[in-house]
Amino acid sequence: MWGAMGGAAMFGLGLALAQPDRPVVVFTGDGEMLMGLGALSTIATTRPSNLSVVVLDNERYGETGSQHTHTAAGVDLAAVARACGFERTTTVREASGIPALRADLHAGGNPLLAVVKVALTADPMTLPPRDGTYLKNRMRAALLGPTAIYE
């Protein structure tokens, strides 16, 4: 969700509530999650058992020039989620922690907030599509199958 401005976790919550029999994993960045901190309390109190939020934390605002985010100054998003009521949180700092995270993602139960610390790299900027109709159809096809686009 390019340009989500803090809305990715709430979008995931809506999807998890609408599709309770399907696991939903939201991948977002630290800057985007910092803009949507209120979502953590809403998710924690709603407790969808099929929702996980994975924050890829490079401690930078990538879209606006690589300024430090608050996580670079010590804000701990997993601790914030725990304070909001998340019973399942984790922070992965090494690649060796990924298998345990994968198991946590598949375990279900209460919502999960996972922070994955990643290195800052000089990757080329790639912007996703911005065509609303295309994005809507892609989402419908992913959730309901390719024929759902025409229904």
Side-chain angles (χ1 to χ4, degrees):
M1 288 182 59
W2 178 68
M5 301 295 290
M10 289 302 289
F11 183 88
L13 174 61
L15 190 56
L17 294 174
Q19 298 285 327
D21 296 328
R22 299 180 81 167
V24 175
V25 181
V26 174
F27 286 91
T28 190
D30 52 315
E32 201 277 338
M33 191 69 253
L34 285 162
M35 288 185 270
L37 284 180
L40 296 178
S41 59
T42 302
I43 293 167
T45 57
T46 306
R47 298 193 191 290
S49 62
N50 60 329
L51 178 62
S52 299
V53 179
V54 178
V55 180
L56 303 177
D57 184 2
N58 66 359
E59 302 181 352
R60 297 292 194 280
Y61 290 109
E63 291 183 19
T64 61
S66 199
Q67 302 89 346
H68 287 103
T69 66
H70 298 339
T71 62
V75 172
D76 181 342
L77 290 170
V80 172
R82 279 191 301 279
C84 288
F86 273 72
E87 294 177 19
R88 297 173 57 217
T89 65
T90 188
T91 299
V92 177
R93 297 182 186 280
E94 302 289 334
S96 60
I98 296 299
L101 173 58
R102 182 185 315 151
D104 285 347
L105 288 170
H106 290 283
N110 290 313
L112 168 68
L113 185 286
V115 176
V116 179
K117 293 290 192 171
V118 296
L120 177 64
T121 57
D123 299 322
M125 180 67 108
T126 304
L127 299 177
R130 294 174 59 182
D131 178 313
T133 302
Y134 168 77
L135 294 171
K136 172 195 62 99
N137 288 339
R138 183 175 71 176
M139 182 71 163
R140 285 180 61 92
L143 285 175
L144 306 171
T147 59
I149 295 171
Y150 306 105
E151 293 176 355

